[in-house]
Amino acid sequence: MLLNLCKTYKCCGIIAKVGGKSNSQHLLAKASDIVVKNVSPKEVYNAIEKLIESGKMKQGGLGLYDSFVHYDVRGVRARWNYSKLIINN
Ligand SMILES: [Zn+2]
């Protein structure tokens, strides 16, 4: 997979608003907003979920948005869906 790691603060800004959490995982450099060319965010989300389940990626935060997927290594499992899409596993 060709990953374009975007260092935007956009999605964690939304998380901060919703959850009231000021210490974003992006600021700790433990997060990425992932966009894969020609692959939908939903497919990227499901692929990362499978990699986490199989132990190939660290457990952490995984969030689906309309145009990208947020992944971070906070150490505990967290999932959210801010996209209009329904996640199918
Ligand atoms: Zn993010």
Side-chain angles (χ1 to χ4, degrees):
M1 275 204 302
L2 182 71
L3 297 185
N4 173 23
L5 302 183
C6 168
K7 286 173 184 145
T8 175
Y9 289 83
K10 193 176 80 178
C11 89
C12 281
I14 296 165
I15 294 162
K17 262 195 247 168
V18 173
K21 198 177 168 189
S22 59
N23 231 356
S24 112
Q25 296 293 316
H26 279 294
L27 297 175
L28 300 169
K30 289 177 176 175
S32 293
D33 295 329
I34 301 166
V35 177
V36 183
K37 215 174 176 182
N38 302 321
V39 182
S40 73
K42 194 180 105 184
E43 286 175 81
V44 174
Y45 179 99
N46 287 334
I48 294 173
E49 182 74 285
K50 276 178 194 145
L51 287 167
I52 292 170
E53 279 169 16
S54 63
K56 286 171 184 154
M57 283 175 82
K58 285 184 183 176
Q59 187 59 263
L62 188 58
L64 179 65
Y65 296 79
D66 283 331
S67 58
F68 63 94
V69 172
H70 169 98
Y71 168 70
D72 68 66
V73 287
R74 66 184 67 192
V76 293
R77 191 181 192 278
R79 298 293 182 270
W80 63 92
N81 179 4
Y82 285 165
S83 130
K84 297 172 197 83
L85 301 165
I86 293 161
I87 302 163
N88 297 314
N89 288 313

